Amino acid sequence: MGMIVPTLDILRSMRSTLSILFLLLACGSTLAAPTTAPANLPESVLLFSSFRGNGDDGLHLAWSTDGFSWAALKDDQSFLKPEVGSQKLMRDPCILPGPDGEFRMVWTTGWKGQDIGYAHSKDLIHWQDQKAIPVMRDEPSAGNCWAPEIVYDAAKQQYIIFWATTIPGRFPATDDAGDNHLNHRIYCTKTNDFVSFSKAEIFFDPGFEVIDATMLQDGGKCYLIFKDETLHPEPHKYLRIAASDSIEGPFKIITDPITPSWREGPTAIKLGDWYTIYFDMYRDHRYGVVRSKDLKAWEDATEKLSLPQGMRHGTVFRVRREIAAGLMQ
């Protein structure tokens, strides 16, 4: 039987069909994405916000169901580019699911400056009202605003934003204890509409330089996890915990160091019976995690942790599976 030679029209048709098939294979995860939450997702999913490099490209998100195995969303591309602030960076993004259904995010806009970044979203995909909030405008000598965090005070129906700032000469007893004469304390502002903000005031002053404070609320207690930034006469640079019966403090230190030195950027969540604290092991270019059932005996669980490469200081929080499914599309 003789060989059948395809006509030019048949070849063109085959090429067109192959092109379509290739496109479907390349984009299949997008084209076939479900419009509702996948059946295998639990009712709530853990998300982890973070940044990469110096924070130039913006917000990154990862997801997990167990708190240890994390996968990047959107192929680890940015969900929101920084457009405001002293250096237009988006470092240390902290996201809070609010009682009104909105996600509120604050972040560090630059190494220097007197403002922080703010934006909000209903789905973590479409963001609105990106702006710089000049939280330290009443302190003209304030040098920076680092690692802002946001919490909701249900009793007063207001938000509290807190961050670390150095004001030269404000705490002279510890002026020489930090890096390059930096001498941070934790300041805060309060708002109920994100239009007007209270004058910045001290939120946490343990008597030494402190940065990177984050809060975990559980059982009527508020736990402030923070970095002791003391460098001289010997390095501390480790994490400790303070506690209060009120979200506004005052906070009393309740632990010795819970990590080795050179750890920062903590974020915390309760996973079952475990108080779980993630942190940036910035000298090792990776993340670590410790956990405890009583806030006294701490277990290093870093070897169980898997995260996208290059993750830097962010926040862990829970979302409904519908939100997670939307992000996976």
Side-chain angles (χ1 to χ4, degrees), residues 10-258:
I10 292 175
L11 287 172
R12 286 172 176 167
S13 177
M14 290 171 62
R15 184 174 62 183
S16 177
T17 301
L18 287 171
S19 297
I20 293 171
L21 286 171
F22 177 79
L23 179 62
L24 287 171
L25 287 170
C27 304
S29 60
T30 300
L31 296 174
T35 56
T36 58
N40 61 337
L41 280 182
E43 287 297 320
S44 68
V45 175
L46 294 166
L47 293 186
F48 208 140
S49 63
S50 64
F51 73 98
R52 301 289 181 273
N54 195 38
D56 301 89
D57 76 331
L59 171 66
H60 291 251
L61 293 172
W63 74 282
S64 175
T65 56
D66 65 2
F68 287 93
S69 297
W70 295 85
L73 289 162
K74 199 180 175 182
D75 294 328
D76 209 20
Q77 299 175 56
S78 172
F79 279 83
L80 180 66
K81 303 287 186 180
E83 299 174 351
V84 301
S86 57
Q87 292 175 268
K88 294 186 178 180
L89 300 178
M90 190 173 284
R91 298 174 61 88
D92 322 316
C94 172
I95 298 178
L96 173 72
D100 57 357
E102 290 281 334
F103 294 94
R104 313 280 180 178
M105 180 170 67
V106 292
W107 66 88
T108 304
T109 64
W111 290 95
K112 297 181 179 181
Q114 298 175 351
D115 60 63
I116 63 171
Y118 166 77
H120 63 97
S121 171
K122 288 188 180 296
D123 58 9
L124 298 172
I125 300 170
H126 306 95
W127 291 87
Q128 301 178 51
D129 302 331
Q130 183 175 166
K131 64 181 178 181
I133 305 172
V135 291
M136 295 303 289
R137 61 189 168 198
D138 296 314
E139 296 283 358
S141 63
N144 57 351
C145 296
W146 285 358
E149 296 262 333
I150 182 170
V151 293
Y152 182 68
D153 184 347
K156 295 187 177 180
Q157 296 186 330
Q158 67 179 2
Y159 294 86
I160 302 174
I161 305 171
F162 53 91
W163 64 92
T165 284
T166 286
I167 301 177
R170 184 61 53 90
F171 302 98
T174 53
D175 267 347
D176 296 321
D179 300 90
N180 302 314
H181 300 288
L182 295 175
N183 194 12
H184 297 88
R185 297 298 189 272
I186 305 299
Y187 290 79
C188 77
T189 184
K190 300 162 189 174
T191 184
N192 56 20
D193 58 8
F194 293 90
V195 176
S196 60
F197 299 84
S198 66
K199 183 178 179 180
E201 60 185 297
I202 284 288
F203 187 66
F204 180 55
D205 174 17
F208 50 81
E209 188 184 0
V210 57
I211 65 170
D212 291 359
T214 190
M215 190 181 295
L216 175 63
Q217 300 177 62
D218 181 65
K221 286 279 191 179
C222 299
Y223 299 103
L224 200 68
I225 302 102
F226 62 91
K227 181 187 180 186
D228 179 342
E229 185 69 340
T230 301
L231 180 61
H232 305 292
E234 61 182 30
H236 290 188
K237 303 280 188 174
Y238 42 56
L239 303 183
R240 299 182 72 180
I241 302 176
S244 174
D245 293 326
S246 168
I247 197 170
E248 296 185 86
F251 290 89
K252 180 180 179 181
I253 296 175
I254 62 169
T255 70
D256 292 327
I258 63 170

Side-chain angles (χ1 to χ4, degrees), residues 241-304:
I241 302 176
S244 174
D245 293 326
S246 168
I247 197 170
E248 296 185 86
F251 290 89
K252 180 180 179 181
I253 296 175
I254 62 169
T255 70
D256 292 327
I258 63 170
T259 67
S261 299
W262 311 108
R263 307 291 190 263
E264 66 183 18
T267 183
I269 197 166
K270 192 84 175 285
L271 298 178
D273 295 330
W274 294 94
Y275 295 95
T276 306
I277 300 176
Y278 306 88
F279 46 84
D280 192 338
M281 299 166 61
Y282 57 104
R283 281 193 162 188
D284 300 320
H285 307 290
R286 63 172 297 188
Y287 252 85
V289 60
V290 293
R291 61 182 185 171
S292 172
K293 289 186 176 182
D294 59 7
L295 297 172
K296 297 176 182 177
W298 290 89
E299 169 188 300
D300 187 335
T302 299
E303 293 308 311
K304 301 178 182 179

